[in-house]
Amino acid sequence: MSITLEKAITIAKAEIEDTGFDILTIYENDDLFVFSFGNTDGLLVPGISPISISKSTGEIKDILLPSDEGFALLNTLTKIEV
């Protein structure tokens, strides 16, 4: 299974449904799409972790920040303009 950007956006929106949050930014690398979330004013909210969605399986994972693993992942990403 291959996850398109459109499908990943649908998955990410389902993760934040009924929370009052929006997708703020979308990033990608060869294996993942990464979404950050914030309030409807476009501001990051402390404690709301970004998520990754596997391009090959659709698996969703929280990205824990601050952490060495989280920062290492962030260094591999390119921002997607949508």
Side-chain angles (χ1 to χ4, degrees), residues 3-27 32-38 48-54 58-63 80 82:
I3 303 297
T4 64
L5 175 59
E6 291 77 19
K7 177 66 175 171
I9 290 170
T10 301
I11 293 168
K13 285 182 177 180
E15 286 293 300
I16 57 169
E17 188 174 25
D18 299 325
T19 64
F21 298 122
D22 287 329
I23 296 171
L24 293 185
T25 52
I26 306 172
Y27 300 90
L32 304 167
F33 292 109
V34 173
F35 295 84
S36 68
F37 305 108
I48 304 301
S49 297
I51 63 166
S52 66
I53 300 175
S54 168
E59 180 182 10
I60 303 166
K61 290 186 179 180
D62 286 330
I63 300 172
I80 298 175
V82 285

Side-chain angles (χ1 to χ4, degrees), residues 64-78:
L64 301 177
L65 295 172
S67 72
D68 290 342
E69 181 181 351
F71 288 128
L73 172 61
L74 294 180
N75 287 330
T76 70
L77 300 174
T78 302

